[in-house]
Amino acid sequence: ARLLLVAAVAHVAMAAVLRGAVVRGGIAALSSISLNRLPLRAEDAVPPSSDKTAFDFDVPFRGEPTEIKPFLGRATLVVNVKFDDPITLDQMPGFQALLNRYSSKGLHVLAFPTDQGWFEAEDSNTLRLKFKSVYDFGQYPTAVVFDKADLLGGNALPLYSWMTKSLVNPWGLERVTLNYEKFLLDADGRPVRRYPRKYPPQNIQTDVEMLLAGKPLPPMTPALEQAWQEAKREAVKSEYAFRAGLNYYAFGSPAS
């Protein structure tokens, strides 16, 4: 009996040693992962394993979920807009200038307003009228303002949830952080480049031309990299930044 007791104690001790070795090995493996291996640029990020494209989603238009297909072009810019944001004065004329030059060749610009972030007082139809009357933005189907929808959190528009996960920003964040973040989609409805709030639409011209010609995009320019660095700082201090628990919530917006 005494021998059996000794054997049992030895077995328990050995099991404890082995468990400790496994735990230490797991910790060592985790510690060997370098943060430097995280993507530094949107192009470096590996999109989630998915065969979905923008063509798989509906969009809210005139009070109804609507198939997105008619709104997608050979090159499509998707942007979250806010009419009362002062930067609208710079961004919207830039979009219209691109459309004037390239809409006949297949460029579309899709604008998505939201009550999240800085509150948008007007209803969706009024917003469409204001964007048209002030900026001449609103030509079906190449320049469209959709109905207001959540773009962040649990109730986010599925198109935006998929798009932001497919192409994270350069510091690894999925969600949009400010108004007027822009996504460029190719003819297959796949996001190929993401641009920050203050990046001028005119500076996207070369990328648009490449997509319309069926060619790969050129590398990210130093100007775009600098714009993302400035956007990261602005996301911390700007009153127009999306802030969880303050101007948007996990489910719904402050106005919902």
Side-chain angles (χ1 to χ4, degrees), residues 100-139:
N100 290 341
R101 186 165 185 175
Y102 296 109
S103 63
S104 63
K105 299 177 181 179
L107 174 66
H108 291 198
V109 178
L110 310 183
F112 288 85
T114 181
D115 279 328
Q116 294 176 307
W118 190 273
F119 180 59
E120 188 82 90
E122 309 290 357
D123 61 43
S124 298
N125 287 330
T126 303
L127 280 174
R128 274 188 279 272
L129 291 173
K130 291 178 73 172
F131 275 106
K132 178 63 176 177
S133 62
V134 177
Y135 301 106
D136 195 28
F137 182 90
Q139 298 86 26

Side-chain angles (χ1 to χ4, degrees), residues 40-96:
L40 298 179
R41 303 180 304 166
E43 288 91 324
D44 295 334
V46 177
S49 178
S50 172
D51 293 329
K52 285 190 174 182
T53 72
F55 286 95
D56 295 307
F57 297 93
D58 291 337
V59 285
F61 188 58
R62 301 193 182 281
E64 298 288 340
T66 305
E67 183 183 16
I68 197 175
K69 183 177 179 179
F71 303 106
L72 295 174
R74 292 176 60 194
T76 304
L77 277 169
V78 179
V79 55
N80 58 307
V81 299
K82 189 77 68 172
F83 188 86
D84 290 331
D85 187 333
I87 203 171
T88 304
L89 295 168
D90 298 323
Q91 292 283 307
M92 293 311 300
F95 290 126
Q96 195 58 48

